[in-house]
Amino acid sequence: MRIDGWMLMALAWGIILSITLFCFKRIIAKKEFT
Amino acid sequence: MALKRETWGSRLGIIMAVAGSAVGLGNFLRFPAKAAANGGGAFMIPYLAALVLMGLPLMWIEWTLGRYGGGFGHGTAPGIFHRVWRKNRFIKYFGVIGIFGPLVIFIYYTYIASWTLGYSFFSLAGKFTRIFDQSGMQGFLSGYQGLKSNEYFQGLGYAYTFFLITFVLNIAVIYRGIKGGIEKMCRWAMPALFVCGIILFIRVITLGTPDPAQPAWNISNGFGFLWNPDFSRLKEAKVWLEAAGQIFFTLSVGIGMILTYASYLSKGDDVVLSGLTAASMNEVAEVILGGSIIIPAAFVFFGPVQMKSIVDSGTFNLGFVTMPLVLNHVPWAGLFSFIWFFLLFLAGVTSSVSLAQPALAFLQDEFDIGRKKAVTIFAAVTFVLCQPAVFFLRNGVVDELDFWGGTFLIVVFATIEVLLFVWVFGMENAWDEIHKGADMRIPSAYKFIIKYITPFFLLVILGAWFWQEWRPILSMAAVSAANRPYILATRLGLLFLFLFLAVLVKVSWQRKRRKGVQGI
């Protein structure tokens, strides 16, 4: 894979994973998981 | 007396249910094929733009409208739209799309989901694990679908059996209700789906270079096939439309099912964070897992030249022909094939139960029918409606149902929703309604995005489809002469179903008016 491919993959994965972690962190912090 | 509406048991429950509805076969089959065929990594630029400017706003709008309508005892679009625009007598009929669309998708989606259950069984039974060529695996699929009688299958017996099992499973889940059925199933099915996805992800990234004679056919280049960007493709309007279309399909917006799911929330329940969480779970399943399984795995076994035709062969071929062929080359082929098809089955069944819910909610909310009776009516009607999808697959009936229920009408419905929400309900009211009970504030730039950019995006997609496809579709230009009667009959059937639902809306409103229900 070319370097620009790696960069785009890292960017897309990074954005998606950070939003997901942000959401779950807030929900867990509110103890509203169950 | 109106029946008491059900509620979700927990916040996790509705998030898993909405994510389950959104994560479908398309996450693992349609997305990688679209990305690879439309500029690779460059496709992610319009894809993420469409997610931020259209997908997330629509997600929030549907969650908010659903919760708002639920507060007035309406779980489907006719009642919700009428509540938003009380002065307009006709707006409730536009809401019929929000029951019609999911019902039509349910008719064929249940059958397609049943293939994945059948293939899960055949994986463990080793029925296709010794097929190593494309034409053999294609023959297996055609035989299973009843398109051909061959050494693998003679008739539709197996396909029909697995369809019956899948259909009964769907009915059993919805029979148990929101909390005891859908929520309970999604709470174990979604984690199980992610576990299956992660197992396959690890299997794929450890494939290395299976054929030492072809050192370039390695897993890194497999990812490169999907992610290496071709920025020149961004000049093509088609790429932007494909990306926007993919966001639509993947988030399950514009169907009407999120409206219904959100209608079972309480007034003070957050929709901003919950909506964002469900959308982000869907994106993890699509971009991270979906993008890392089928394309890289196929690349290391078939190489760059064959990959082009594989990507163009369509999503069913990718899932039911290419992927089992790939997995037949690895140790424990049957087990990994089972994990693959069971993952697709979980993705399918968590989506299909959500597609049933709007029609059920309509019967319950607008006709005061109890859940069990409503499920019985729904099961009897949809079982009959599913039959053409099973028996006339070869004649293009499923494609036709998919175009009207699963493609065209969802864009129309989303456009109506956003215009109603912003321009009739009013942006300030809408903004306040979104943030009732919210755990986080949406950036204020979204006021502008929701008001102008999202409707603009939708109108462009709608306009482009009209421009490119309206005439050939209406004239059935791409349909063979032999299949035209079937397509025509499907269209007439769909028209009849739509009119029947519109009449039901009229009858229910007249009934409520006679009973003196306020706000009707």
Side-chain angles (χ1 to χ4, degrees), chain B residues 213-231:
Chain B
Q214 300 284 354
W217 297 11
N218 58 50
I219 198 64
S220 168
N221 286 341
F223 274 88
F225 188 83
L226 184 70
W227 286 97
N228 286 343
D230 175 2
F231 289 111

Side-chain angles (χ1 to χ4, degrees), chain B residues 105-155:
Chain B
I105 303 172
F106 180 87
I107 290 166
Y108 65 86
Y109 199 83
T110 312
Y111 181 47
I112 294 169
S114 77
W115 301 352
T116 61
L117 182 65
Y119 269 63
S120 303
F121 171 78
F122 294 132
S123 302
L124 291 180
K127 202 164 158 78
F128 57 73
T129 44
R130 289 199 185 89
I131 303 174
F132 292 99
D133 61 291
Q134 196 89 12
S135 64
M137 199 60 88
Q138 185 68 61
F140 189 88
L141 177 63
S142 305
Y144 180 81
Q145 292 169 330
L147 304 179
K148 270 184 201 162
S149 184
N150 53 27
E151 69 265 44
Y152 307 112
F153 298 99
Q154 290 84 43

Side-chain angles (χ1 to χ4, degrees), chain B residues 419-494:
Chain B
L419 292 176
L420 258 183
F421 192 66
V422 173
W423 297 98
V424 178
F425 199 55
M427 195 60 226
E428 290 308 318
N429 286 339
W431 197 249
D432 290 344
E433 189 63 35
I434 290 175
H435 287 99
K436 275 183 188 162
D439 285 333
M440 57 178 268
R441 303 284 303 173
I442 300 175
S444 52
Y446 266 99
K447 255 187 181 177
F448 181 81
I449 292 171
I450 291 174
K451 194 167 182 181
Y452 298 106
I453 310 279
T454 309
F456 174 75
F457 234 108
L458 288 165
L459 290 170
V460 167
I461 295 175
L462 208 53
W465 277 359
F466 269 106
W467 180 257
Q468 291 168 354
E469 298 190 31
W470 197 238
R471 199 170 293 167
I473 279 173
L474 270 195
S475 63
M476 296 191 274
V479 181
S480 69
N483 286 344
R484 285 190 179 188
Y486 296 92
I487 300 303
L488 200 58
T490 307
R491 289 182 184 184
L492 290 173
L494 289 176

